[in-house]
């Protein structure tokens, strides 16, 4: 089942947070970091994006990595259910209730939910994933190692967002925007992706409005 990341730092970690001058995260998968979200934002490389060569099928998604009968989509739904669905057979889900924070809406039944890549596949491609290996792109598209990477939301909000970044789209629910900002930055840092200038400006504006809370994550590549 889906692996939950540790979201809270210990008191000792909070007392020794990395300063902005020394906060460039180390590279390599599995390296753990705890630092203020603004420091993480400032560490992201700023580069022009390119959509050249993007193909959605290059990001193989909704695989059953652990061979338990439930693919990535089902794993997310099972993890995030407000009211658990019934599991029929190996992993057919019926019933259940989910909450979509993007638009502050409850969803009845698993078919009413879309699973959103917090940082869309096309945006990931534009931000560096176009140069990753096929295995890295598949791992990104099915990232169950951090619950901030994938989220069940209404189809309406997911399709409104499409492949946009925070420069052009934010959750309709204003109450979710600081969380959205924080998780976007974490996913970019976890996968060592770049941001472009417009995205950087939008994220910096959000950083000025949102708490500079400490975040803990592991680099995935």
């Amino acid at each position: 089942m889906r692996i939950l990341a540790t979201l809270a730092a210990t008191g000792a970690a909070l007392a020794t947070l990395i300063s902005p001058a020394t906060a460039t995260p180390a590279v390599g998968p599995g390296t753990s970091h705890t630092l203020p979200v603004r420091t993480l934002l400032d560490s992201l490389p700023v580069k022009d994006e390119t959509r050249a060569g993007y193909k959605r099928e290059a990001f193989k998604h909704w695989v059953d990595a652990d061979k338990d009968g439930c693919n990535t989509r089902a794993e997310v739904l099972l993890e995030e259910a407000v009211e658990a669905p019934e599991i029929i057979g190996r992993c057919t889900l019926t019933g259940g209730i989910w909450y979509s924070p993007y638009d502050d809406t409850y969803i009845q039944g698993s078919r009413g939910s879309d699973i959103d890549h917090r940082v869309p596949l096309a945006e990931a491609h534009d931000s560096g994933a176009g140069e990753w290996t096929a295995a890295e792109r598949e791992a990104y598209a099915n990232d169950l190692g951090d619950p901030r990477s994938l989220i069940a939301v209404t189809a309406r909000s997911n399709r409104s967002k499409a492949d946009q970044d925070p420069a052009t789209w934010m959750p309709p629910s204003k109450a979710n925007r600081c969380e959205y900002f924080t998780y976007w930055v974490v996913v970019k840092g976890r996968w060592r992706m770049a941001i472009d200038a417009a995205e950087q400006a939008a994220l910096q504006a959000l950083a000025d409005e949102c708490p500079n809370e400490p975040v803990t994550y592991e680099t995935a590549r």
Side-chain angles (χ1 to χ4, degrees):
M1 294 296 176
R2 192 180 187 196
I3 303 170
L4 291 177
T6 302
L7 300 180
T10 64
L14 289 173
T16 59
L17 287 174
I18 302 171
S19 67
T22 59
T24 300
V27 298
T31 306
S32 182
H33 307 277
T34 298
L35 67 169
V37 65
R38 183 60 187 258
T39 302
L40 176 56
L41 171 59
D42 291 342
S43 78
L44 299 178
V46 181
K47 297 181 180 179
D48 291 339
E49 294 183 351
T50 176
R51 187 62 56 88
Y54 170 68
K55 293 182 180 179
R56 186 174 174 82
E57 56 267 28
F59 293 79
K60 185 179 180 182
H61 54 287
W62 304 169
V63 302
D64 180 8
D66 59 5
K67 309 301 181 186
D68 68 349
C70 294
N71 65 16
T72 302
R73 182 181 190 278
E75 297 278 14
V76 175
L77 289 171
L78 288 169
E79 179 61 39
E80 295 189 355
V82 175
E83 181 178 295
E86 181 182 358
I87 304 175
I88 299 174
R90 290 202 71 191
C91 201
T92 299
L93 307 183
T94 63
I97 298 175
W98 287 264
Y99 176 69
S100 172
Y102 287 179
D103 46 4
D104 190 25
T105 300
Y106 284 92
I107 306 165
Q108 302 283 338
S110 62
R111 292 186 178 183
S113 296
D114 276 6
I115 304 304
D116 178 50
H117 291 90
R118 183 80 60 173
V119 176
L121 299 181
E123 169 68 19
H125 168 91
D126 300 351
S127 305
E131 299 176 359
W132 297 354
T133 66
E136 286 176 323
R137 287 192 294 270
E138 179 176 330
Y140 175 75
N142 299 276
D143 185 12
L144 297 175
D146 191 307
R148 294 163 289 197
S149 295
L150 299 168
I151 183 172
V153 296
T154 61
R156 177 181 62 252
S157 64
N158 187 43
R159 293 164 196 180
S160 169
K161 175 188 173 187
D163 59 3
Q164 299 178 82
D165 69 24
T168 55
W169 189 90
M170 287 295 294
S173 173
K174 292 183 179 180
N176 185 243
R177 291 184 178 180
C178 284
E179 178 183 88
Y180 188 77
F181 152 72
T182 300
Y183 290 4
W184 181 280
V185 172
V186 167
V187 174
K188 285 266 176 157
R190 171 170 164 78
W191 287 91
R192 295 172 52 211
M193 288 187 279
I195 56 178
D196 66 19
E199 180 184 355
Q200 180 190 41
L203 292 170
Q204 288 177 336
L206 288 164
D208 291 339
E209 299 176 2
C210 297
N212 189 26
E213 62 185 14
V215 292
T216 297
Y217 70 97
E218 287 188 357
T219 48
R221 55 176 293 277

